[in-house]
Amino acid sequence: MARRLVAYAEDLSESTSTGSAVTKASVTASLVNGTTYALIWSYQAGCDDTSSTGRMRCIDGTGGVNLGLNQFKARDTTDYAWGGNVSLYTAAATASRTFYVEFVRVGGTGTPKIKNVRLLILGLTSDDSGAASVNNQVTSSTSFVDAVATTFTPSSTGDYLFVASAAITNGGTEIELQTPGGTSVNTITSAIPYGGVYQPWSAVWRENGLAASSQTARLRWRSPSGAAQNLLAACIVAIRVDTIPGIQNTQDDAADGGTNTSYTTTETLTATGLEADERDTVVIAASTVTDSSATESSYIEFRDAGTQVIEGVHEAFSTLTTSAGLIGYKPTSASSSITFDLRRKSEGVNTTTVAFASIAVLEFNGTLSQSLSASITGSASIRRRVSKGLAATVAAVASLTANTIFSRVLTASATLTTSICKEVAKGLSASLTGTAAIRKTIGKALSATLGTTAFLARAFPVRLVATLSASASVRKTVSKTLSASTSLTASMQRVKTAIVHLTATASMTASLTTIRLFYRTLSASLTATASIRRTISKRLAATQSMIARPIAWVATQLAAIRNDKPNWNQCPRCARKVRPNKMHQQMEYRGPRLVWTGLYVCHSCLDEPQPQGIWPRETGGDPKPVILARPRRD
């Protein structure tokens, strides 16, 4: 799996605008042609009067293109509203590109202000999906219609995190996220506390077990009164989360409210086992707040380990009572356990209600950039590559999933209780004990003992320089050399070729069947108690042990008949009397094979078979030419 781009910038300082645009949280990233990226941006906005309007946009700074828009108008000068959106960008070329959040006053004479601006960019993969519509939309429908929808087909059953947002005005709008499973999330009616401007709505929701069939997630809206309603910058992103290194989340679509004047926790997530210093860890959170008063404010804050990350101060107007916040955040702590929470409080006797809350912690990529100097314990298989090496003990009883790359060296033991499903790509310089199958390739060299209790299902392409003990079959080829003992207690199946040479003892436990040719030399012992079914193609450098047999038994094995029995005590060539066990079969070449002539002769009369032209003659080359040959004149 390719590494997923994760880029992030934040600008926490306060900036103001009286007409000139202000650039905040600029991010420059190297994008890949054809890849789609999700941009999650957030802010706090306020103003020193209640008549001026501020505008926040996510901008493709390289191309000067607007990717999403919010607006803000204060109901009270103490307001500092939390807002945010998600946008999409698809790269048209592989190049570096800059994105930022732009803030500017677009109406009134006051001084709008902005702070705590964050911009998170996530590269989407083929498992993810998304759709966006930046332009304004209008509906008078009293039934739900799609503002934007994304349709996708998971490659297998899996879990997805949906991030959706829009900017809405004309307070009678009803809006919701509908998941592929048909769940309606963060359904809000009368959603604008500051009439006449485009205010944000957002939702973050996880749905598990989506089948490998067509799935559709929708951002839907309607006008309960039938009056024309406006919406723009609608966007929905679906991120597959069961294939990334880590996902932890909490979500609540039920209302939680009260008149507490001190902060009270409404949603909390204690994320454990984090590796923020080794992985790209991000947090995506969203909330929706209802304020029942037109004179007193409601507060909502998002915290990281007790430290405030962002706070929304909202005051309602008449019946238009709901505000929304979204944030993409990259924690800086290297702690393996961090508590994130959303808290609410009220001003005076105002009732503050959190209508929706969600926090998701995602860990991407999982790269150990230099070396790993401690133990890793897992409970199943390694599913990808140990690409160069791991400098410590790996006791793997589980899986290192997805794109887990140890980018340097593996110099200690790897003990696996199940299978290695892919490659040990360069070298493994310690013991490998596998109780199941090695299914692919040990790519260059294995310089230690390999004890396998099942198959080697593929090839050792270069060399194996240690003992191979297999209690089942070797199914393919030992390609170049095997320079140590091979002890096989079953058969070599298919083409089993020691392509160059076999320089050690081969102990087999059955018979040599059919025609077994040793093409060149056999200079070491061959004990065969099982079958070799193919060819040892060049040479076997071990001794062949010849066991003398009674000549009568030999004749029986060769199907000799009574009439072709020789005089067992007399050589037919020299007529000398010879003991039967000193007689030898006289062989000769007939075609490419040695065939018994039917004669038994003594040692001195035994002829060496002549190939008779079977093997090609070696002839010399042409004579060297005479330079500038001329006839003699004498």
Coordinates of all heavy atoms in Angstrom, one line a residue, residues 34 37 104 107 121 152 178 196 209 222 250 258 267 269 332 358 361 412 434 440 511 590 610:
G34 N -4.0 12.7 -10.3 CA -5.2 11.9 -10.3 C -5.6 11.5 -8.9 O -6.7 10.9 -8.7
Y37 N -7.7 14.6 -2.5 CA -7.3 14.9 -1.2 C -8.5 15.6 -0.4 O -9.2 16.4 -1.0 CB -6.1 15.9 -1.2 CG -4.9 15.3 -1.9 CD1 -4.8 15.3 -3.3 CD2 -4.0 14.6 -1.2 CE1 -3.7 14.7 -3.9 CE2 -2.9 14.0 -1.8 CZ -2.7 14.1 -3.2 OH -1.6 13.5 -3.8
V104 N -11.7 37.4 5.4 CA -11.8 38.8 4.9 C -13.2 39.4 5.4 O -14.1 38.6 5.5 CB -11.7 38.9 3.4 CG1 -12.8 38.2 2.7 CG2 -11.6 40.3 2.9
G107 N -18.7 42.7 4.5 CA -19.8 43.6 4.7 C -19.7 44.3 6.1 O -19.2 43.8 7.0
I121 N -4.7 18.1 5.6 CA -4.9 17.5 4.3 C -4.6 16.0 4.4 O -3.6 15.6 4.9 CB -3.9 18.1 3.3 CG1 -4.1 19.6 3.2 CG2 -4.0 17.5 1.9 CD1 -3.1 20.3 2.3
F152 N -19.9 4.1 -3.8 CA -18.6 3.4 -3.9 C -18.9 1.9 -3.6 O -19.9 1.6 -3.1 CB -17.6 3.9 -2.8 CG -18.1 3.9 -1.4 CD1 -17.8 2.8 -0.6 CD2 -18.9 4.9 -0.9 CE1 -18.3 2.8 0.7 CE2 -19.4 4.9 0.4 CZ -19.0 3.8 1.2
Q178 N -27.0 10.9 5.8 CA -27.6 9.6 5.8 C -26.5 8.6 5.3 O -25.9 8.7 4.3 CB -28.8 9.5 4.8 CG -29.5 8.1 4.8 CD -30.6 8.0 3.8 OE1 -30.3 8.0 2.6 NE2 -31.8 7.9 4.2
G196 N -29.1 35.3 7.7 CA -28.6 36.1 6.5 C -27.2 35.8 6.1 O -26.7 36.4 5.1
G209 N -19.0 -2.7 8.9 CA -19.5 -3.9 8.2 C -20.2 -3.6 6.9 O -21.1 -4.3 6.5
R222 N -33.9 19.7 3.2 CA -35.2 20.0 2.8 C -35.7 21.3 3.4 O -35.0 21.9 4.3 CB -36.2 18.9 3.2 CG -36.5 18.8 4.6 CD -37.4 17.6 4.9 NE -37.8 17.5 6.3 CZ -39.1 17.9 6.7 NH1 -39.9 18.4 5.8 NH2 -39.4 17.9 8.0
T250 N -15.4 7.6 19.2 CA -16.7 7.6 20.0 C -17.6 8.6 19.3 O -17.2 9.5 18.6 CB -16.4 8.1 21.4 OG1 -17.7 8.1 22.2 CG2 -15.8 9.5 21.5
G258 N -27.8 21.0 29.7 CA -27.9 21.4 31.1 C -27.6 22.9 31.2 O -27.2 23.6 30.3
E267 N -18.7 14.3 25.9 CA -18.2 13.1 25.2 C -16.7 13.0 25.4 O -16.0 14.0 25.4 CB -18.5 13.3 23.7 CG -18.4 12.0 22.9 CD -19.6 11.0 23.2 OE1 -20.6 11.5 23.7 OE2 -19.4 9.8 23.0
L269 N -13.0 10.3 24.8 CA -12.3 9.2 24.2 C -10.9 9.1 24.7 O -10.1 10.1 24.5 CB -12.3 9.3 22.7 CG -11.5 8.3 21.9 CD1 -12.0 6.9 22.1 CD2 -11.4 8.6 20.4
T332 N 0.6 16.6 19.1 CA 2.0 16.6 19.1 C 2.6 15.7 20.2 O 3.8 15.4 20.1 CB 2.5 18.1 19.3 OG1 2.0 18.6 20.5 CG2 2.1 19.0 18.2
S358 N -18.9 13.8 18.2 CA -18.1 12.7 17.7 C -16.6 13.0 17.7 O -16.2 14.2 17.4 CB -18.5 12.4 16.2 OG -17.8 11.4 15.7
V361 N -10.0 9.1 16.3 CA -8.5 9.2 16.3 C -8.0 8.1 15.2 O -8.4 7.0 15.3 CB -7.9 8.8 17.6 CG1 -6.4 8.8 17.6 CG2 -8.4 9.8 18.7
A412 N 17.7 -9.8 14.3 CA 17.5 -10.7 15.4 C 16.4 -11.7 15.0 O 15.9 -11.7 13.9 CB 17.1 -9.9 16.7
G434 N 9.0 -21.4 11.3 CA 7.6 -21.2 10.9 C 6.8 -22.5 11.1 O 7.3 -23.6 10.7
K440 N 5.5 -17.2 -0.2 CA 6.2 -16.5 -1.4 C 7.7 -16.7 -1.3 O 8.2 -17.8 -1.1 CB 5.8 -15.0 -1.4 CG 4.3 -14.8 -1.8 CD 4.1 -15.1 -3.3 CE 2.6 -15.1 -3.7 NZ 2.2 -13.8 -4.1
S511 N 12.9 -45.7 -3.2 CA 13.6 -46.2 -4.4 C 13.7 -45.1 -5.5 O 13.0 -44.2 -5.5 CB 12.9 -47.4 -5.0 OG 11.6 -47.0 -5.4
R590 N 24.4 -49.3 -27.9 CA 23.5 -49.5 -29.0 C 22.6 -48.2 -29.0 O 21.7 -48.1 -28.1 CB 22.7 -50.8 -28.9 CG 23.6 -52.0 -29.0 CD 22.8 -53.3 -28.8 NE 23.7 -54.4 -28.8 CZ 23.3 -55.7 -28.6 NH1 22.0 -55.9 -28.3 NH2 24.2 -56.7 -28.6
Q610 N 32.8 -48.6 -26.5 CA 33.1 -47.5 -27.4 C 31.9 -46.7 -27.9 O 30.9 -47.3 -28.3 CB 33.8 -48.1 -28.7 CG 35.0 -47.2 -29.2 CD 34.5 -46.0 -29.9 OE1 33.4 -45.9 -30.4 NE2 35.4 -45.0 -30.0

